[in-house]
Amino acid sequence: MKKRHSLISASAAVLTLTLALSACSNDGSEGGDGGGDGAGHSSGARISHIHGVGIDPLDGKLYVATHDGVYTPDKKGAPQLVGDRKDDFMGFTIAGKGRFLASGHPAPGRDAPANLGLIESTDSGVSWKDRSLTGEVDFHSLEYAHDTIYGYDSTNGLLRVSENGERWEKRAELTALDIAVSPDDPDTVLATTESGLVRSTDGGRTFGEGAQPVTAFVSWAAKDALYGVDPAGKLSRSADGGKSWKETGTVPGGAPQALTAIDAKRLIAATQDGVYESKDGGRTFAKRLDVASGGGH
C-alpha cells in the first residue's frame, strides 16, 4: 500500500521546507533573462539558492547548480557561469564524465515551459537538451545509480524511475526533499521527509515509516558511507544504510542547501554562506565558494 508523508509540520524540517519553497517561486525578481554571460564570465557574479553540488570526474572541477544557472570556481575561486543558461536548476546530479542531469524552471523571459522536465548536458553544463517530461515535471531531486535515473517529481508528489531518461515508471507517492539510492542495491531507496528518513526495499514502489532523526539531505557514496545532514547542519554517517548514525561534525554556514558525497571521505556541502568541501568524512571543512546571504534551497 502506498503511503504519503507530509513535509510540513515537524519543527526540525520547517526551515528546510521554507528554503525549498522560496527557490520554487520563479516570479522574475531573481535570475537572468535567459541570455547569461557565457562561460568564462565571473566578474561580480554572486550565487545563491543552491540546489545541487558535484564534482565532474572529467575535469575534477566543482559544479554548483543554482537558481540562476550552473557555476564553477574560476582560477581565482570566484563563481563562473557555465554556458549561457541562467535557468533555475532544481534537481541536479552528475551522472558521469561531462554528463549532467537536471530539472527546474526556465529563466525569466526565456520562451520555455514552466517545468523543464529532465534535461541533459554531455559537455559539463555548457549546453543542454530536453530529454523528457518537458512542461510536465519539476524534479527536485535526481540520482543516477545502477545505470538508472531516480527522480523525485515534486510537481506530482511521487518517485519516478527511468533506465533511458525518456520512458518513466511512476512509483510511490510521497512528499520528500531529497532521495538517495544504495550503491549496492538498486531496490534500496531512501527519502527525507517530515517524519524522518523513509526506506524502500522494492525500488521505491513502497516506503516504510519514517525513522528519526529528521534529515534534510542524504548522499550514499559507498555501502558503509551514507551521509545525512539535518536542518541545522549537523552531519552524520551511517555504516548500515541508515539504521544507526554517528555524528561526524557540523557543516559551517547555517542551514544546508545541498549535500553530495563523492566517496567515503570526500563531501561537498552547500549552506547559507558557502559551498564547503571535506576530505576527512566531515570532521573538517574548507570553503570553496561564497554564497550570497539569504540564499536557500
Side-chain angles (χ1 to χ4, degrees):
M1 179 178 180
K2 296 179 179 179
K3 190 169 184 66
R4 188 173 182 87
H5 300 269
S6 171
L7 191 63
I8 314 176
S9 63
S11 59
V14 168
L15 176 59
T16 301
L17 178 62
T18 302
L19 293 172
L21 293 177
S22 69
C24 294
S25 57
N26 197 355
D27 59 5
S29 62
E30 295 185 76
D33 58 4
D37 298 323
H41 290 256
S42 57
S43 58
R46 299 172 75 241
I47 60 173
S48 65
H49 294 86
I50 294 175
H51 304 141
V53 292
I55 301 292
D56 187 349
L58 180 66
D59 55 19
K61 289 183 179 180
L62 167 68
Y63 289 85
V64 180
T66 81
H67 190 65
D68 301 298
V70 175
Y71 289 80
T72 189
D74 65 12
K75 294 181 179 179
K76 296 182 179 180
Q80 172 180 298
L81 181 67
V82 179
D84 62 0
R85 279 177 65 161
K86 286 194 170 184
D87 291 343
D88 181 6
F89 286 86
M90 295 296 298
F92 174 82
T93 191
I94 296 178
K97 293 182 177 181
R99 186 187 181 199
F100 297 177
L101 301 173
S103 189
H105 314 286
R110 190 166 79 80
D111 185 15
N115 292 325
L116 296 179
L118 180 73
I119 59 175
E120 179 180 22
S121 173
T122 55
D123 55 11
S124 300
V126 175
S127 63
W128 295 84
K129 62 181 179 180
D130 297 335
R131 289 298 308 277
S132 58
L133 301 175
T134 304
E136 300 178 36
V137 169
D138 172 22
F139 289 107
H140 274 202
S141 182
L142 287 164
E143 289 289 323
Y144 183 78
H146 312 289
D147 296 321
T148 300
I149 305 168
Y150 300 74
Y152 175 64
D153 171 1
S154 68
T155 309
N156 300 290
L158 57 86
L159 184 74
R160 292 178 184 258
V161 176
S162 175
E163 293 184 355
N164 60 12
E166 297 177 1
R167 295 185 300 275
W168 292 85
E169 181 183 342
K170 295 180 181 180
R171 298 195 176 173
E173 294 182 359
L174 74 166
T175 305
L177 184 59
D178 197 18
I179 60 173
V181 181
S182 166
D184 286 349
D185 179 9
D187 286 333
T188 299
V189 184
L190 305 178
T192 62
T193 75
E194 168 263 340
S195 61
L197 195 65
V198 297
R199 175 188 305 274
S200 172
T201 58
D202 57 9
R205 294 172 179 84
T206 61
F207 284 85
E209 297 294 332
Q212 298 297 311
V214 171
T215 304
F217 300 99
V218 284
S219 188
W220 209 337
K223 182 177 182 179
D224 62 347
L226 168 65
Y227 287 92
V229 63
D230 75 7
K234 183 177 73 175
L235 182 74
S236 298
R237 174 173 173 165
S238 174
D240 55 12
K243 297 174 183 176
S244 63
W245 295 87
K246 180 179 180 180
E247 185 176 348
T248 62
T250 299
V251 183
Q257 299 180 12
L259 174 70
T260 299
I262 307 303
D263 55 38
K265 292 290 186 180
R266 189 181 183 192
L267 307 170
I268 306 293
T271 61
Q272 286 179 298
D273 80 349
V275 178
Y276 292 87
E277 180 176 8
S278 175
K279 296 182 178 180
D280 57 10
R283 287 190 289 273
T284 61
F285 285 88
K287 183 180 278 191
R288 293 290 307 275
L289 278 176
D290 286 324
V291 172
S293 62
H297 189 89

